[in-house]
């Protein structure tokens, strides 16, 4: 039996957070003990306290006004929480940027950083609106920060493309392996039957209202498609920039005169009934690590339309599903693929999803704990 610790910024409604919870459940089924350490007290999911032990480091992730000092104080709190358990951990896995920084400062044993996104795309999008020499300087500064963080460390990427991108970008980790996010097929199917919905025919997008998710492209493509189904937008607004983006999207919808066809649902703890009933799920992102919702849609045999963004979608939509990949930012192509998915759906079978089966993926993490 191994004691495994996951460290993550919070347990809000994001894809990385859901992946950690799914992975925890499968590891526990294999007979191991899991502790989850969250930097801030944000929990949007229903938590089964009998499944794992949850440790909260602070109220909002800010225990000191100076960022440099704040990370070190969080590292000390983390080490204290770990010591209080009075057990030996055989594996620690950090998830998301702040947790990666804090765990490295804490010098945890057998630590892996799990990267859920694409480094180059993240840096490009982060400084997209910066101009001239300032943009170059800031991108270079962030690259140096990333090198300092991840060089000579043990890394996990959730897609092969994300790992390749990391190496090409100049990061030199001690090791870098790809382990896909885990999916409990039975759980997804069971939960998809739980809820009665209040919208009849619709297509859906489940994504945080961040600019990089490109809801603007989706909304334009939807308007161009002129399909009769409504568009359901489901997701969180975790940052002030997300709130601003959401307001901009609502203004766009008004200008396009499709207010009566677009439904905002916010965060929904159980999105599976919605995904199952949708005529298609649409992803319009600039970049993804591995999009959980694409796999979940295929588990529920819902048609998927996605941008062919770095790096996950092309590893998920393979074979006859690859026809539904659209160039990033291409409104016309995304629109035509939405219509095609509704008018000429492809039969989704186990061959499309078998490599994402949770027990096998959980066992890959357990192997890391006994090396």
């Amino acid at each position: 039996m191994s004691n495994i610790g996951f460290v993550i910024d919070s347990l809000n409604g994001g894809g990385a957070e859901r992946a950690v919870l799914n992975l925890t459940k499968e590891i526990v089924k294999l007979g191991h003990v899991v502790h989850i350490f969250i930097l801030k007290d944000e929990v949007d999911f229903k938590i089964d306290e009998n499944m794992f032990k949850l440790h909260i480091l602070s109220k909002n992730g800010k225990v000191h006004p100076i960022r440099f000092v704040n990370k070190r104080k969080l590292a000390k709190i983390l080490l204290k929480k770990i010591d209080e358990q009075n057990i030996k951990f055989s594996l620690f896995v950090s998830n998301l940027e702040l947790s990666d920084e804090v765990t490295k400062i804490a010098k945890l044993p057998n630590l892996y950083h799990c990267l859920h996104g694409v480094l180059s795309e993240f840096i490009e999008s982060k400084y997209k609106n910066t101009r001239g020499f300032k943009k170059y300087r800031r991108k270079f500064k962030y690259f140096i920060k990333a090198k300092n963080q991840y060089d000579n460390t043990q890394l996990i990427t959730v897609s092969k493309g994300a790992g390749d991108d990391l190496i090409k970008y100049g990061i030199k980790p001690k090791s870098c392996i790809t382990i896909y996010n885990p999916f409990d097929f039975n759980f997804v199917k069971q939960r998809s039957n739980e809820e009665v919905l209040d919208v009849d025919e619709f297509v859906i997008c489940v994504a945080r209202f961040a600019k990089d998710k490109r809801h603007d492209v989706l909304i334009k493509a939807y308007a161009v498609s002129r399909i009769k189904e409504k568009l359901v937008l489901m997701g969180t607004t975790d940052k002030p920039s997300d709130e601003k983006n959401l307001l901009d999207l609502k203004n766009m919808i008004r200008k396009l005169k499709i207010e009566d066809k677009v439904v905002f649902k916010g965060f929904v703890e159980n999105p599976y009934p919605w995904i199952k009933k949708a005529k298609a799920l649409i992803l319009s992102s600039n970049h993804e690590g591995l999009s959980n919702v694409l796999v979940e849609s295929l588990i529920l045999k819902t048609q998927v339309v996605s941008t062919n963004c770095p790096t996950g979608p092309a590893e998920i939509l393979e074979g006859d599903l690859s026809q539904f990949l659209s160039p990033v930012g291409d409104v016309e192509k995304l629109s035509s693929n939405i219509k095609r998915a509704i008018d000429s759906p492809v039969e989704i079978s186990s061959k499309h999803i078998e490599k994402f089966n949770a027990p096998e993926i959980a066992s890959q993490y357990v192997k890391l704990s006994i090396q």
Side-chain angles (χ1 to χ4, degrees), residues 59-169:
K59 182 179 180 180
N60 58 7
K62 297 177 182 178
V63 293
H64 194 279
I66 300 175
R67 281 190 293 179
F68 177 83
V69 179
N70 185 62
K71 293 169 189 175
R72 277 149 183 77
K73 283 189 171 291
L74 285 171
K76 286 183 178 180
I77 296 170
L78 174 60
L79 287 171
K80 183 179 179 182
K81 293 279 187 183
I82 292 170
D83 288 342
E84 288 172 353
Q85 306 316 305
N86 200 29
I87 57 175
K88 182 180 179 181
F89 284 86
S90 53
L91 173 68
F92 285 100
V93 182
S94 69
N95 301 262
L96 303 179
E97 186 177 7
L98 181 57
S99 293
D100 289 345
E101 294 178 279
V102 169
T103 52
K104 187 173 184 181
I105 293 168
K107 298 180 180 179
L108 300 183
N110 199 21
L111 170 66
Y112 283 79
H113 301 299
C114 182
L115 304 187
H116 294 264
V118 184
L119 179 64
S120 64
E121 291 293 330
F122 176 79
I123 294 176
E124 288 298 325
S125 62
K126 186 178 180 69
Y127 301 112
K128 180 175 58 178
N129 296 323
T130 309
R131 296 288 179 264
F133 180 74
K134 184 185 289 187
K135 179 174 184 176
Y136 172 82
R137 181 169 58 83
R138 289 184 177 179
K139 285 172 62 177
F140 182 74
K141 185 177 179 180
Y142 195 92
F143 167 69
I144 295 300
K145 175 186 174 184
K147 277 191 69 67
N148 290 336
Q149 174 64 39
Y150 298 121
D151 272 2
N152 201 35
T153 59
Q154 300 181 118
L155 299 183
I156 298 169
T157 59
V158 298
S159 68
K160 292 176 183 176
D164 293 342
D165 173 86
L166 198 73
I167 304 303
K168 288 177 183 177
Y169 211 69

Side-chain angles (χ1 to χ4, degrees), residues 22 25-26 29 182-190 272 299 356-359:
N22 288 344
K25 180 170 64 174
E26 293 302 321
K29 286 181 183 178
F183 296 86
D184 184 337
F185 295 178
N186 290 331
F187 175 79
V188 172
K189 291 173 183 176
Q190 288 168 6
Y272 300 131
I299 291 169
F356 302 106
N357 197 22

